[in-house]
Amino acid sequence: MTVAEAARRAKVSEQSVGNWKRQFLEAGRTGLVAGKSGPATREAQLEAEIEDLTQALGEAHLAARVWKKSAEGRLGPSRTSR
C-alpha cells in the first residue's frame, strides 16, 4: 500500500502517515538497542520491586506461622489444622 492510499483510508494527510511511519521506525530502533543493552530502566525497577515484595511476603508468611504456632501452644490446636 502506498502512503497516499494509507492516507486516504485513514482520512489524514500523507504527511501524517509519513510522520507516523518515521516515529514507528525510530521507536523500533530504540527498542532494539535497549533490548541489546539489557532491560529498560522501568523494567529493572519493576523487577526489583517484585523481588522486594516477594521477600516481604515470605517474611510475613513466616511471621504468621510463628504467631499461629505460638497461639496453638497457649490455646491448644486450632480448629483449622485438623
Side-chain angles (χ1 to χ4, degrees), residues 18-48:
N19 288 338
W20 295 339
K21 179 181 175 182
R22 180 184 46 77
Q23 291 170 354
F24 177 80
L25 292 174
E26 285 175 10
R29 276 188 224 100
T30 301
L32 288 172
V33 169
K36 291 178 183 174
S37 65
T41 302
R42 180 69 176 140
E43 185 179 347
Q45 289 172 337
L46 291 172
E47 287 176 355

Side-chain angles (χ1 to χ4, degrees), residues 5-17:
E5 290 172 325
R8 274 194 302 277
R9 278 189 177 183
K11 297 179 183 170
V12 297
S13 70
E14 290 181 37
Q15 184 177 4
S16 292
V17 173

Side-chain angles (χ1 to χ4, degrees), residues 67-78:
W67 278 81
K68 182 178 177 184
K69 291 288 184 185
S70 173
E72 285 178 356
R74 285 177 289 169
L75 305 173
S78 70

